[in-house]
Amino acid sequence: MIFPKLPALLMTLGLTTAQGSQFWSNTGTTAGWDTFTHEHEGTVQQVTNVVYKGSTALKMTQIYDPSYTGRYHSEAVKYNAYKKGDTGFYGFAFRLQEDWQFDPAQEFNLAQFIADFSDLGCGEDYMPGTMVWIVGDQLYTRVKYGDVCPTSSQQIRTFSNLKTVTAGEWHRVEIQADWQSDSTGYIKLWYDGEKVVEAYNLPTNVGDGRAFQFRVGLYANGWHDSGYKGTQGTRQVWYDQIASGSAFADADPAAWS
């Protein structure tokens, strides 16, 4: 299901929460998702012992294997989260394992919007657009724009070192985006209630108008892209209160149940 761009007035409201409506939500269960990615030894589990709110959460695990050369996704996937021209809010709560090893610094992705472009025949397949990740203990996000093909036309704007992420406790992320391929788009990101990104008048999507998925989960992309670092070969992240809607409160994990 694709939702149209909101009226101009609502887009200017920022944190104003009145008159919103949730597009979809999940209370940390394996029910209701379109699919899951759990590559190699990765798992996605519904648990009850570590939760943000309510009685359930999702536990994502990935395990490093030096003999394995593939990628390391453990994600819950929602199809048709947005397409170019849409505007919306997206949110989730996450918790890194208590003994998460931040040093040496390495990339671990926490959430992403992604679409399959393999039909274009230029060597691109599943291409992430906006992502939320950590490098060491620092929070990052990005937007991707330009043409998908040739792949050299793809451009990225990264927002770096936004906040320091701590292990063993729950954190909240909310994103508001106007998904445009020209300079009329915008993106905002909140971390634990603090707005850490607010960027206007920029492209936030590639030119192709197909729908993007929204995925939450652990993607240990650093292991694949830059090689294994450190001594912690098992990584775990919990997720809860994942949602999308037309107002901040629809996506804020603390605001709905």
Side-chain angles (χ1 to χ4, degrees):
M1 181 164 41
I2 298 295
F3 299 91
K5 183 176 176 180
L6 298 176
L9 176 62
L10 182 57
M11 290 191 297
T12 67
L13 294 179
L15 278 172
T16 301
T17 61
Q19 306 302 316
S21 60
Q22 278 191 331
F23 301 155
W24 55 268
S25 63
N26 182 275
T27 55
T29 71
T30 53
W33 296 98
D34 291 306
T35 191
F36 300 93
T37 64
H38 31 70
E39 294 170 321
H40 199 46
E41 298 182 57
T43 58
V44 176
Q45 299 171 291
Q46 180 176 313
V47 299
T48 57
N49 60 325
V50 178
V51 302
Y52 172 74
K53 185 186 286 190
S55 60
T56 56
L58 292 174
K59 178 183 178 181
M60 318 308 207
T61 302
Q62 265 298 343
I63 301 171
Y64 179 72
D65 179 353
S67 66
Y68 172 66
T69 59
R71 297 186 179 273
Y72 291 92
H73 291 88
S74 291
E75 300 166 311
V77 180
K78 190 69 177 179
Y79 293 156
N80 301 326
Y82 84 85
K83 61 179 177 60
K84 185 175 70 171
D86 291 348
T87 303
F89 290 83
Y90 316 85
F92 59 94
F94 76 94
R95 178 188 183 274
L96 306 180
Q97 66 195 73
E98 292 185 2
D99 62 343
W100 185 277
Q101 187 178 81
F102 291 108
D103 186 24
Q106 189 157 32
E107 291 187 25
F108 293 92
N109 195 65
L110 301 173
Q112 63 178 327
F113 297 89
I114 190 169
D116 183 6
F117 294 94
S118 57
D119 62 295
L120 298 182
C122 65
E124 189 60 88
D125 48 19
Y126 275 91
M127 185 204 76
T130 291
M131 307 174 78
V132 179
W133 73 97
I134 56 173
V135 180
D137 64 358
Q138 293 298 298
L139 184 70
Y140 283 62
T141 192
R142 77 177 200 184
V143 292
K144 176 174 273 196
Y145 55 98
D147 293 326
V148 177
C149 298
T151 55
S152 59
S153 297
Q154 298 174 18
Q155 300 183 65
I156 293 173
R157 178 173 173 181
T158 300
F159 302 89
S160 307
N161 301 305
L162 300 174
K163 292 294 291 187
T164 299
V165 177
T166 55
E169 57 185 336
W170 286 96
H171 300 288
R172 294 178 289 119
V173 172
E174 299 88 17
I175 298 168
Q176 182 188 14
D178 184 4
W179 304 107
Q180 303 292 340
S181 59
D182 60 17
S183 60
T184 63
Y186 65 75
I187 187 167
K188 306 175 189 179
L189 187 144
W190 291 260
Y191 176 78
D192 287 348
E194 178 185 354
K195 188 187 292 180
V196 295
V197 173
E198 186 172 21
Y200 297 94
N201 303 314
L202 79 165
T204 54
N205 199 74
V206 293
D208 191 292
R210 72 190 61 194
F212 273 70
Q213 304 172 7
F214 182 49
R215 299 182 181 183
V216 294
L218 174 59
Y219 170 29
N221 51 332
W223 289 350
H224 177 271
D225 297 341
S226 56
Y228 177 71
K229 297 179 182 179
T231 59
Q232 191 172 62
T234 298
R235 300 278 183 157
Q236 296 175 328
V237 185
W238 287 257
Y239 290 83
D240 204 350
Q241 297 292 109
I242 309 113
S244 173
S246 62
F248 184 86
D250 300 328
D252 178 10
W256 65 272
S257 58

